[in-house]
Amino acid sequence: MECAHYDAGRCRSCTLLPLSSHVRVRRSQAEIARLLAQATTASGAVSADCPVPESAIASGTPPTSTSGGATGIRWLPPATGPDAGFRNKAKMVVSGTVDAPVFGILDDAGAGIDLRDCPLYPQAIHRLLDAVPALIRRAQIPPYDVARRRGELKHLIITVNDAGELMVRFVLRTPKPVERIREHLSVLTAAVPGVRVVSANIHPQHSALLEGAEEIHIAGDRHLPMRQGRVSLQVLPRSFVQTNTAVAGQLYEQVAEWADEIEARHRLGTADSRPGGTGAADTGSPGAGGGDGALRIWDLYCGVGGFALHLAAPGRAVTGVEVSAEAIASAQAAAAEAGLTADFVVADASDWAGEQDVLPDVVVVNPPRRGIGALAGWLEGSGICDVIYSSCNPRSLARDLKQMPSYQVTAARMLDMFPHTAHAEVVVQLRRTTEAA
């Protein structure tokens, strides 16, 4: 990817831009493999209640470690996407003046650096950023001056879907400009077709936080539909959604494929893959599939339902758990629109799991960067056979795996979710063994 801002030294957010994508991805996977090799201690045969899944002998990269020895991990080819125009969300600091607003970042002296033409973003976001200054001038919305703690418009947050439709959020110090934005919004919508959601976020504190707690709807729909993989998600203004749509789709499809393999084994009756016999909770609740043979799946930290909606299917009982009520509302709306059956619960994932009397066949976790914390210990003692862990922080994944010594990583895939940076997504398939080293 070519970037004039990087070449000029104005922005170095893409810290690994000089590396070719091939080299960067290869190095990233090698580092993740090293972390997993250090963290995974499970040994011995897979539990008799948890037979080896067919995926462990399916096609893919032979299990190897960075030191050349076998690890039992089958590495699938990395999931990649475009190296430019891939990012579906722009978070711009607003500086400058009413007559000459600047969208981008601040330099060390607090002056604005204009990044409206940042090549990470698709053309729909570029067009929007070019059109917003006219609205700011017409509505007389002064950009926030960090040094003086004066002004109104702190940030501009833009999200675009695969159809080029846009969600625009004005992060304001006070609600005072809201009515002026509403009055003059046609200046923006006439210039940029496809503006579907407009809102204001009220952020009165002088802090480095991106946004505040209050959201005010200004115009258009309440949510932005966004297709990732085979499902159209319903994204509300404060919802988290994967920012790389092409790679996110591959992540969801990978997890769905692993779930299909587990279900095939479950249906063939090669073994009862449910936990049992060691004091694990009862697995016969009609509310979770009961004794009808349904595959029971928990999607913990489910967000707007990306994994749960890809896993929902006839013959399955899928439950998504997320602490954000807004995200759960989005997931429920998406499920209804797609005609999918899944239950969604507003709760802390770790607390909720510990309160259940009926355990699932499969647990999918997709935690924030800090990892799953105490939930790792709960999973270790649960007797659950299959866990799929999607992580945006391989180091916290490795730390969590050290608390789950009875699980073996049987398959893994690196996903290039954050091109040109040292950040990476990795998803691993875990299988319970009979003993821990």
Side-chain angles (χ1 to χ4, degrees):
M1 182 181 76
E2 298 293 328
C3 179
H5 300 292
Y6 185 94
D7 294 341
R10 290 188 293 270
C11 177
R12 291 298 172 90
S13 297
C14 294
T15 55
L16 301 184
L17 186 59
L19 285 180
S20 71
S21 293
H22 173 75
V23 170
R24 179 179 49 75
V25 168
R26 177 169 53 81
R27 289 183 183 178
S28 180
Q29 178 165 307
E31 173 62 13
I32 295 170
R34 183 187 67 80
L35 290 170
L36 294 185
Q38 292 176 347
T40 305
T41 60
S43 63
V46 174
S47 169
D49 287 335
C50 306
V52 177
E54 299 214 358
S55 63
I57 56 174
S59 60
T61 305
T64 58
S65 71
T66 53
S67 61
T71 65
I73 300 176
R74 179 175 61 98
W75 279 95
L76 297 167
T80 60
D83 71 347
F86 60 84
R87 191 171 175 86
N88 61 36
K89 191 169 190 176
K91 305 173 185 178
M92 296 291 187
V93 176
V94 184
S95 57
T97 65
V98 170
D99 292 328
V102 177
F103 307 115
I105 58 176
L106 300 180
D107 64 16
D108 292 340
I113 298 174
D114 197 325
L115 299 179
R116 276 185 284 181
D117 59 347
C118 172
L120 295 179
Y121 304 118
Q123 287 301 312
I125 288 181
H126 291 160
R127 288 193 294 270
L128 192 287
L129 288 170
D130 286 340
V132 169
L135 172 60
I136 290 175
R137 288 190 290 270
R138 180 71 64 84
Q140 289 293 292
I141 314 166
Y144 185 70
D145 187 316
V146 174
R148 296 181 179 182
R149 302 191 180 191
R150 295 171 59 183
E152 284 291 349
L153 183 55
K154 293 184 172 184
H155 303 111
L156 189 66
I157 304 174
I158 306 163
T159 305
V160 63
N161 65 15
D162 52 302
E165 297 173 321
L166 296 148
M167 175 189 292
V168 185
R169 301 174 65 207
F170 298 88
V171 181
L172 304 168
R173 184 174 63 89
T174 74
K176 292 178 181 178
V178 169
E179 286 306 317
R180 299 200 302 274
I181 294 173
R182 187 175 282 124
E183 179 183 356
H184 299 290
L185 187 61
S186 60
V187 172
L188 180 65
T189 56
V192 184
V195 174
R196 185 156 178 173
V197 183
V198 182
S199 69
N201 178 271
I202 310 306
H203 181 14
Q205 290 79 24
H206 180 78
S207 70
L209 295 175
L210 180 66
E211 59 188 69
E214 181 184 1
E215 197 82 20
I216 300 174
H217 179 258
I218 293 178
D221 294 338
R222 299 281 177 171
H223 68 266
L224 180 72
M226 179 176 290
R227 178 164 290 277
Q228 294 195 334
R230 71 184 78 162
V231 171
S232 182
L233 305 175
Q234 305 292 338
V235 182
L236 290 166
R238 292 173 55 81
S239 299
F240 168 80
V241 65
Q242 297 286 0
T243 58
N244 190 324
T245 297
V247 176
Q250 295 178 70
L251 169 63
Y252 293 139
E253 294 294 351
Q254 181 62 69
V255 171
E257 179 181 325
W258 283 342
D260 289 345
E261 293 170 355
I262 294 168
E263 183 176 43
R265 183 179 70 250
H266 181 85
R267 289 188 178 279
L268 286 171
T270 54
D272 181 6
S273 63
R274 292 189 173 100
T278 59
D282 175 32
T283 60
S285 165
D292 61 3
L295 188 75
R296 296 190 287 278
I297 304 174
W298 290 356
D299 176 12
L300 305 182
Y301 312 95
C302 72
V304 295
F307 288 111
L309 296 172
H310 279 83
L311 296 170
R316 294 181 182 176
V318 176
T319 302
V321 182
E322 166 63 45
V323 72
S324 167
E326 182 177 278
I328 288 297
S330 296
Q332 291 170 329
E337 182 176 275
L340 298 170
T341 299
D343 294 324
F344 292 98
V345 180
V346 179
D348 175 85
S350 184
D351 292 345
W352 181 87
E355 294 167 356
Q356 303 311 299
D357 295 326
V358 179
L359 298 185
D361 303 292
V362 187
V363 172
V364 177
V365 293
N366 180 36
R369 289 187 60 80
R370 64 178 179 272
I372 62 175
L375 185 62
W378 182 87
L379 285 167
E380 173 66 17
S382 69
I384 294 169
C385 293
D386 290 283
V387 176
I388 299 172
Y389 191 137
S390 176
S391 172
C392 62
N393 184 355
R395 293 188 179 278
S396 63
L397 166 63
R399 183 172 62 247
D400 289 337
L401 290 179
K402 289 179 181 178
Q403 305 303 313
M404 303 165 63
S406 295
Y407 286 96
Q408 182 177 15
V409 180
T410 59
R413 191 174 188 187
M414 178 266 182
L415 301 107
D416 192 24
M417 195 75 75
F418 316 101
H420 316 302
T421 75
H423 300 293
E425 188 96 9
V426 60
V427 61
V428 296
Q429 186 181 38
L430 304 174
R431 192 75 172 149
R432 183 174 291 277
T433 64
T434 56
E435 59 179 303

